[in-house]
Structure formats: C-alpha cells, structure tokens
Amino acid sequence: MLNIDYLRQLLLISIALSVITCTIIQKTKHLFNNSKWISFYSFLINLVVGVIFCITFTNITFPNSLWIGLFSFLGADSIYKTLEGKLSSYSEIIEEKTIKIPKENIINKEEK
C-alpha cells in the first residue's frame, strides 16, 4: 500500500533540501571544466547532503534519506506539483467507491 502522506512529507523535505543543494552547486560548479561532470557532482551532492540533512534535522531512516536526495536531484518541486491532487490514499479511494445508505433507508428483513 502506498503511503501518500509520507510520500508528500518526503517531497516537502526534498524541496527544502533542493534550495540548499542548488546553492551549494551554484557556488562550487566553477571547480569543473567539463559540464558532463556537473550532473554527477550534483547527484552526489544531493545524496550526501540529503543524508546529512535527514540525520541532523529529522528522524527519517537512511534509505528514506536517500530517496529525499534523489527527489531533490530530480526536482522535488516539479514532482510535488505534478503529483499534487492526482494521488489519493487507499482509504480515500475506498470511500469514493463505497455507497453509503442512511440507516432510515435500510429494510430489516426480520421485521416483516
């Protein structure tokens, strides 16, 4: 079962992390002469800073902190805006597909 609320929290943390990592990368990208290394450098910075950020400021587990680093690298704000309103929790889906009948409309077979 997909935990939509937890995914949403991870994406929100990733958005904050994206701001930090983007600043770090912008300040240090002049160290690379070749632009193909900047993408690898960005990926590495997002993962490392993501893990350190999560260990320091949250109680999120190590594997989930790697997800946060990946989301941050991919663009957490774009992912969040894309998924916002499109994913429903399992309970919301079940509730939508359930027909609710008021008690006064229920016919009790035993009373007849």
Side-chain angles (χ1 to χ4, degrees):
M1 181 185 308
L2 184 62
N3 188 345
I4 301 300
D5 292 329
Y6 191 63
L7 177 61
R8 191 174 293 131
Q9 289 174 359
L10 294 181
L11 286 170
L12 289 173
I13 293 169
S14 299
I15 292 170
L17 182 64
S18 293
V19 173
I20 296 167
T21 56
C22 185
T23 304
I24 292 170
I25 292 164
Q26 289 297 322
K27 299 279 185 184
T28 58
K29 73 178 181 180
H30 68 279
L31 301 172
F32 298 96
N33 295 335
N34 195 340
S35 63
K36 69 179 179 181
W37 288 104
I38 293 177
S39 294
F40 177 72
Y41 174 68
S42 174
F43 180 72
L44 188 66
I45 290 294
N46 277 289
L47 286 182
V48 170
V49 174
V51 169
I52 294 170
F53 183 85
C54 289
I55 289 171
T56 306
F57 298 110
T58 68
N59 58 356
I60 293 175
T61 62
F62 177 76
N64 288 336
S65 65
L66 291 175
W67 279 110
I68 288 174
L70 179 65
F71 293 156
S72 176
F73 173 72
L74 295 175
D77 57 339
S78 300
I79 296 170
Y80 185 80
K81 288 176 186 172
T82 302
L83 295 177
E84 189 175 33
K86 293 186 178 151
L87 292 177
S88 301
S89 68
Y90 180 72
S91 59
E92 290 172 351
I93 292 170
I94 294 300
E95 212 170 280
E96 287 176 4
K97 294 185 178 187
T98 303
I99 299 172
K100 295 184 179 180
I101 300 172
K103 284 186 177 183
E104 60 270 2
N105 291 349
I106 296 176
I107 301 171
N108 192 349
K109 292 181 181 180
E110 294 175 6
E111 291 179 2
K112 287 185 175 184

